[in-house]
Amino acid sequence: MYEKIVDILCSIKEDQPELRQSLSPEMNLNNDIGLDSLQMIQFMLKVEEQLNVVIDYDQFDYEHLQSIHTFIAFLNRCQPQEQPLYEDVKQ
């Protein structure tokens, strides 16, 4: 799952091609990677879509962004999606 998170982060921060080499599981998603609010929304939507999970925003807290590892631990507690997101948009 770590590699998929890295892929998503690099796709969002495509203006920083050196990012992939500097990422580590301990990096803070806000402070170290520097996702702004729009990028954070893009990140969460891509995570849900590409990892096929439903993020429970009632349970989500900024402490889950303290590191990529912490975020992955949170995702492991999320429910899998029963059907793809945005299915109505694709039709």
Side-chain angles (χ1 to χ4, degrees):
M1 185 180 292
Y2 173 75
E3 289 301 321
K4 193 67 179 172
I5 296 291
V6 167
D7 289 344
I8 293 169
L9 287 168
C10 290
S11 72
I12 291 171
K13 302 289 276 186
E14 62 186 2
D15 61 331
Q16 298 178 11
E18 72 285 354
L19 180 65
R20 183 175 297 275
Q21 287 74 37
S22 65
L23 289 175
S24 71
E26 295 78 28
M27 292 185 78
N28 184 296
L29 287 162
N30 277 328
N31 298 332
D32 296 332
I33 299 171
L35 295 175
D36 62 27
S37 57
L38 179 59
Q39 291 171 331
M40 183 58 73
I41 292 169
Q42 292 173 325
F43 174 69
M44 299 301 249
L45 292 175
K46 284 187 174 195
V47 165
E48 286 185 309
E49 181 182 341
Q50 294 183 20
L51 298 178
N52 201 32
V53 296
V54 177
I55 294 176
D56 183 350
Y57 290 100
D58 290 335
Q59 300 297 318
F60 180 77
D61 193 83
Y62 279 105
E63 72 182 39
H64 297 122
L65 302 175
Q66 289 180 344
S67 71
I68 295 173
H69 178 74
T70 303
F71 185 66
I72 290 171
F74 171 75
L75 289 178
N76 284 330
R77 295 189 302 269
C78 293
Q79 296 291 320
Q81 292 182 34
E82 293 184 15
Q83 54 184 302
L85 285 177
Y86 318 116
E87 185 173 342
D88 57 328
V89 175
K90 293 179 181 177
Q91 295 178 357

